[in-house]
Amino acid sequence: LLLRLLLYSTMTNYKKWDKFVADLPSDTESEEERELKDYASKVSCYIHIPPKEFVRKEQLCELLEEVPDFYAPSSSSAAFVVEEPGEENDELRKAKNTALQFNWSAVGSTFIPGYAGGSASDDLWRIYYDDNFLAQQKTPNPGARALLGTTSLGSMVVACLDRKTGENRPISRFEVADLIFRRQAGQDGEKIQREAEKSKEQTALFEKLGGHTVDIAPST
């Protein structure tokens, strides 16, 4: 009887152990992400970065806004000027509505350095903005500046193109805030350098095959 009691007392309670394991955080889930889980839902493909200051990541998460009705122009280099007269097609009309929503004069976009087509990542981050923001916008946007690495004014909207599907995928406010803070900390420097080097290699190959690059910057 004593032996049976001893064996019973040392037996593992597997149900209790399973519950304990289930409550443990996943190896792929950061402690910070668990603390900011309210902002980790991926419900929109577009997130607005307002031109406001922030200090903490949680504060930035609160500032960011999902924009489920955002209309992105079909061409990455397209800009649709709001004041431009003439016949409108459906795409131009939608683009104008988007521009008006954020007080833009036009809709422009560019891939974030380090996450463009020449990068190794499957996540190709793109940012949309007033295509004339240097002339039209006045309020600095520190979040967008961290992503672009240059002066950024006015509201901007970020999206993430999935290289595998060719479509913008749903993103979360936490994901965008984390990207901004990583950029501020210089953690994407290596990605940007690799992308720049690959671009130089492609340009050199293009010229070797007889092509010529053209500087489209206005002359002074």
Side-chain angles (χ1 to χ4, degrees):
L1 178 61
L2 182 60
L3 180 59
R4 292 167 70 180
L5 289 173
L6 181 61
L7 288 173
Y8 179 80
S9 65
T10 57
M11 287 177 63
T12 302
N13 187 330
Y14 289 103
K15 289 185 178 181
K16 184 180 293 186
W17 178 254
D18 288 343
K19 183 179 183 305
F20 172 76
V21 171
D23 290 339
L24 287 176
S26 167
D27 290 339
T28 59
E29 184 183 31
S30 69
E31 181 178 352
E32 184 177 51
E33 188 172 4
R34 291 192 300 277
E35 292 175 351
L36 300 177
K37 62 182 179 181
D38 291 342
Y39 308 104
S41 298
K42 299 180 180 182
V43 297
S44 175
C45 291
Y46 302 95
I47 289 183
H48 172 218
I49 306 173
K52 296 181 179 180
E53 298 288 339
F54 56 87
V55 177
R56 297 174 291 105
K57 189 177 292 187
E58 182 177 7
Q59 182 186 10
L60 176 57
C61 285
E62 292 175 355
L63 291 175
L64 298 174
E65 302 170 322
E66 288 98 355
V67 194
D69 59 343
F70 183 85
Y71 179 78
S74 57
S75 171
S76 62
S77 60
F80 299 86
V81 181
V82 174
E83 296 83 1
E84 184 178 346
E87 185 177 350
E88 293 185 2
N89 56 35
D90 187 54
E91 184 176 23
L92 180 57
R93 189 178 301 107
K94 289 179 179 178
K96 284 187 174 183
N97 289 336
T98 292
L100 290 171
Q101 181 180 359
F102 296 102
N103 195 32
W104 295 343
S105 60
V107 181
S109 72
T110 188
F111 283 105
I112 295 172
Y115 292 93
S119 69
S121 176
D122 286 332
D123 286 338
L124 308 181
W125 288 91
R126 177 186 284 168
I127 194 162
Y128 296 85
Y129 44 76
D130 183 342
D131 204 47
N132 301 310
F133 69 79
L134 289 177
Q136 298 291 333
Q137 304 296 327
K138 304 299 180 184
T139 309
N141 190 323
R145 179 182 175 83
L147 298 179
L148 293 176
T150 188
T151 300
S152 302
L153 304 175
S155 288
M156 300 198 177
V157 174
V158 67
C160 184
L161 178 68
D162 187 331
R163 188 196 298 270
K164 295 178 180 178
T165 65
E167 301 288 341
N168 286 329
R169 67 170 178 80
I171 54 179
S172 69
R173 285 188 281 171
F174 172 82
E175 197 173 9
V176 174
D178 188 59
L179 178 62
I180 289 173
F181 270 77
R182 283 194 286 113
R183 302 285 283 197
Q184 286 183 331
Q187 295 179 16
D188 278 346
E190 188 176 341
K191 287 183 179 180
I192 297 172
Q193 183 177 355
R194 285 200 305 266
E195 184 178 282
E197 290 173 351
K198 188 170 183 178
S199 178
K200 288 181 181 178
E201 291 173 0
Q202 292 174 339
T203 300
L205 178 60
F206 175 71
E207 293 175 345
K208 186 177 180 180
L209 295 174
H212 299 281
T213 57
V214 179
D215 186 1
I216 61 173
S219 57
T220 56

